[in-house]
Amino acid sequence: MDNISHTLRQSVTTKLDKTVKTEIQQHVMPQIEKMVQPLGDRLHETVSQKITATNDIMKENISKLVKSRSTTEAMGQAAANTLSNTIQSTYRDAFHSSILPAFERSCQNMLSQVNAAFESGTREYLQHVDSQLQKLRQKHVDARDPIVAEMKSMVASFKETSAKLHEDTKMLIHQDMGVKLEEVVGSMEKNIVTKLKEVVKEELTIALQDHSATVQDSISAAIRSQTPLPQVDLQATQSRIAQQLSQGQINEAFQTALSASDLRLVLFACKSFSPEDLFGQTPCPVDQPVILSLLQQLSQELDTDTDIKYRYLDECVLAIDPGNDLTREHLTGVVTGMCQRLTDFVEKNRSHPLRKSIRKLVMQGQAILK
């Protein structure tokens, strides 16, 4: 707009100068000449009349005095003096009384006409400039409005598409989760009773046998040598876990490892399977109590075997079923403890490569509690 205003001012100044000069040459000067011409004619007529009257007076006086030489000479001298003063005063009076007022009136009329013509031309030129500016402004507006309207339309379309996509995605997720949950719940309902019976029966049998043997051996050894009670046989337990895994008893193998309260045995069982493959099966081969126990024990001693522990914890968090009664009863304590231990590990190991992933895992655990 500044460039347009500057260009318009230069154009207006140049054209206005040319217009005023043309108007003065074509209209003002002819008018002045027309007005001055009558003044010259009147002045010439007045001077002629005065000269004629003076001439008549001089002739009459000369005719009276022509007979007397001295008188003629005196009168001639006096007439010359008188004519000189008379002519000067006559010219002066005629100039002041006729020429000056007429010239002033002519100049006033001329200036009035010039002023009127200048004002009229200026108004017409300003009107023309305003109309041109209005047309130029309208062109800019017309060129800009379609773009703005198209951008608004695109924004509205994007918002509408995003909202629709959000709703469709939410609906698909709910439907998919609902179907999967129904499948998982159905399969769990079919298998939970039989598995619980088998697990309880087997665990009770094994526990009773181990307890009986351990008690007898401990009592005998204590009586004989007064030594401490024996610890868990790591090699035998690993062999037992491996045997159960080879027979497809995955849940039982993890229960054996977890019940020993030895993190080495838990890691031995975990390293036998990829967590993605284990928890990717449908239905999940490990039940909710095992998952809770894995969350509790694998979040210990994170300085060693961090990668395998993190991967199992991540899959366990995703496999938690908050609708399970047993899970709901112990979920808060287990997940809170896991999140606290993970947070402590992140704070102590700020440069660890899994720091961001572990922080995301903490956020997932906190989201479950909400």
Side-chain angles (χ1 to χ4, degrees), residues 52 61 77 101 110 133 163 191 253 263 268 271 289 299 364:
T52 302
N61 292 330
Q77 185 66 34
M110 177 189 67
L133 286 175
N191 298 327
L263 191 56
F268 174 77
K271 291 179 181 179
S299 60
Q364 291 177 0

Side-chain angles (χ1 to χ4, degrees), residues 131-193:
S131 63
Q132 292 297 324
L133 286 175
Q134 187 65 29
K135 291 180 181 179
L136 184 61
R137 190 180 298 112
Q138 188 64 36
K139 286 183 180 179
H140 285 297
V141 171
D142 293 339
R144 182 190 62 190
D145 286 345
I147 299 175
V148 175
E150 185 177 357
M151 290 181 67
K152 290 182 179 179
S153 176
M154 291 175 64
V155 171
S157 176
F158 178 77
K159 289 182 178 179
E160 183 179 355
T161 304
S162 299
K164 184 177 180 182
L165 180 62
H166 179 70
E167 294 295 331
D168 293 341
T169 305
K170 188 188 295 183
M171 185 179 298
L172 289 174
I173 291 174
H174 283 306
Q175 291 177 355
D176 190 26
M177 289 183 64
V179 172
K180 288 185 177 181
L181 285 174
E182 290 179 358
E183 293 177 356
V184 172
V185 170
S187 62
M188 287 181 64
E189 287 178 351
K190 293 179 182 179
N191 298 327
I192 193 168
V193 176

